[in-house]
Amino acid sequence: MSDCLFCKIIAGDIPSNKVYEDDLCYAFNDIAPQAPVHFLVIPKAHIASVAGVNEENSAVVAHIFEVIAKLTKEKGIESYRVVSNIGEQAGQSVPHLHFHVLAGRDMTWPPG
Ligand code: AMP
């Protein structure tokens, strides 16, 4: 989508600190980290949020979780949180599906 911030990051039109990339997804460090490790993993195909996942596009979600497992293992991270906000009330600020990966501090839930 031409006016989507994360589509522009994937296209290289907006700079990002890349963590990983393959044909289906892109991972990059969050610009405003909420934990010592905080990166985002997004599908290259535009999906607005988890609410836009369906039979036709859901394979990329499984792929993204494989990538998250691989990246965290490579980084030696054993305990972490994966978050996806859906809708403005839940704090979604960018309408392109993204999974936050957070680690490096107390990750118990709910936050104290
Ligand atoms: P959410 O608020 O759940 O939609 O998450 C969007 C995330 O994108 C926030 O944590 C922002 O800090 C992050 N973000 C926004 N713009 C950029 C950018 N240009 N590069 C990296 N992360 C960004």
Side-chain angles (χ1 to χ4, degrees), residues 5-6 9 28-32 40 85 91-94 98 100:
L5 172 67
F6 286 175
I9 285 179
F28 56 107
N29 285 323
D30 197 291
I31 203 167
L40 304 172
N85 297 318
Q92 184 179 10
S93 59
V94 181
H98 50 283
H100 297 258

